[in-house]
Amino acid sequence: MRPSIARLTAFCCLGLLAPGGVAAQASDGWRIHEMSRPRPEVVAPAIAPMPARPPAGAEVLFDGSSLNRWVGRDGKPAPWKVRDGYFEVLPGSGGIATVDSFGDVQLHLEWAEPTPPKGSSQDRGNSGVFLMGRYELQVLDSYQNDTYPDGQAGSIYGEYPPLYNVSLPPGSWQSYDVIFRRPRFSAQGALLSPARMTVFQNGVPVQNNAELLGPTTWLARLPYAPHPDRLPLELQDHGDLVRFRNIWIRRLPEGSPPPIRPISLALSDSARAAYTGHYSIRWTKASIGSSDGHLWLDLGDD
């Protein structure tokens, strides 16, 4: 259900931001991998010092020396090659996954595309970061390399193009900083709330509280299906020599906030006059409440 104009204006004026509110991105009805979809604006990011040091409480998944926190196919030791403080995809060996499982997380990783570049579109430096093994943040060489927007670097694959194209030239170390909230399911397997993802690439926001439509895949829209609350993080082998380093993760509190009960606010004439004109809205009363997991403020137009 779309909020009324009064409610949208109240969000903007009063600075209220609720999960799933007006800041969440929408798919805008585009078909998956639609080549005519508008391309994100190209933005040159400010280059932050790397590698970024993990904060207190973070779990280091790769410290530059060992893949002992990762496994390959069938749970065997991860076969990708470690050298000089990074590891590199071993084409044809299959993806790798963390030994541990995660739900809601903050994730940091750094990656670099092969140089000199080879191929074009999706055949140029392709890999992917799969949260819970199901929800892909695309890795691709998107520096002067055109492809479908929902498949370029910084995209939630097949669902949301990045807000901006901030990709650096091949061989440059780039960073992803991700806030991921897993989907919630009822005991009966019904979807209670979808997965959400916020992503900074090279310090620039490329996904803003995006509400995932379901598990990501190629040329298909998959419905949500119930799965465990915690699953491994995976990196994709797409046949390209993509490098990774400095990967750390922080588990986030998963408790849900208490429900917000509707509150009626009776405003006196003097109080109402103090607000009228400041927000270009006249009201007789206001109420705050929630529906469908969204916080709203209704200003009750005169």
Side-chain angles (χ1 to χ4, degrees):
M1 179 176 66
R2 293 183 179 273
S4 67
I5 297 298
R7 291 178 185 175
L8 286 174
T9 305
F11 273 119
C12 297
C13 295
L14 301 183
L16 295 175
L17 179 62
V22 296
Q25 296 166 234
S27 62
D28 297 328
W30 289 97
R31 293 180 299 175
I32 191 169
H33 308 330
E34 176 59 66
M35 286 297 293
S36 63
R37 193 169 187 168
R39 271 46 175 180
E41 177 186 356
V42 176
V43 172
I47 308 303
M50 286 192 283
R53 298 180 62 180
E59 300 176 46
V60 177
L61 298 179
F62 179 68
D63 63 2
S65 63
S66 170
L67 282 173
N68 60 1
R69 297 202 62 173
W70 299 80
V71 293
R73 289 173 174 168
D74 303 321
K76 297 178 181 178
W80 294 8
K81 301 302 181 183
V82 177
R83 56 171 67 91
D84 300 326
Y86 65 84
F87 63 89
E88 186 176 81
V89 175
L90 180 62
S93 65
I96 62 173
T98 55
V99 174
D100 297 315
S101 294
F102 304 94
D104 291 358
V105 294
Q106 172 192 1
L107 170 69
H108 174 91
L109 61 85
E110 297 166 15
W111 50 281
E113 292 293 340
T115 185
K118 296 180 180 179
S120 61
S121 187
Q122 293 291 298
D123 292 324
R124 184 164 150 176
N126 195 324
S127 183
V129 182
F130 285 79
L131 283 301
M132 306 191 85
R134 287 164 166 77
Y135 310 105
E136 182 184 9
L137 172 61
Q138 174 76 318
V139 172
L140 194 78
D141 183 355
S142 292
Y143 183 80
Q144 300 179 356
N145 174 41
D146 191 37
T147 190
Y148 42 83
D150 61 4
Q152 71 178 70
S155 68
I156 297 175
Y157 187 75
E159 297 189 7
Y160 296 98
L163 298 174
Y164 305 100
N165 181 346
V166 294
S167 292
L168 297 172
S172 305
W173 282 105
Q174 310 193 56
S175 64
Y176 277 154
D177 287 281
V178 183
I179 299 295
F180 176 77
R181 179 175 168 85
R182 64 173 177 83
R184 267 62 173 172
F185 301 94
S186 71
Q188 293 72 38
L191 180 67
L192 298 177
S193 60
R196 294 184 178 278
M197 199 182 299
T198 295
V199 182
F200 285 76
Q201 180 183 351
N202 301 327
V204 176
V206 292
Q207 300 291 338
N208 180 20
N209 194 29
E211 183 179 288
L212 275 67
L213 307 176
T216 59
T217 190
W218 180 61
L219 281 179
R221 292 267 190 251
L222 298 181
Y224 279 100
H227 57 67
D229 291 348
R230 293 171 180 79
L231 287 167
L233 173 75
E234 297 183 11
L235 299 177
Q236 182 186 38
D237 168 19
H238 201 277
D240 295 315
L241 299 175
V242 180
R243 297 174 177 179
F244 296 90
R245 72 177 187 186
N246 191 29
I247 305 176
W248 48 260
I249 198 166
R250 269 183 113 251
R251 301 174 192 264
L252 299 179
E254 294 203 359
S256 299
I260 299 174
R261 298 180 179 178
I263 302 172
S264 293
L265 303 176
L267 297 179
S268 65
D269 290 342
S270 59
R272 189 163 59 248
Y275 285 102
T276 302
H278 288 271
Y279 304 104
S280 300
I281 291 176
R282 294 176 300 136
W283 64 55
T284 56
K285 64 179 181 178
S287 59
I288 187 170
S290 64
S291 61
D292 301 326
H294 297 250
L295 177 69
W296 52 261
L297 177 65
D298 195 340
L299 301 182
D301 291 343
D302 281 344

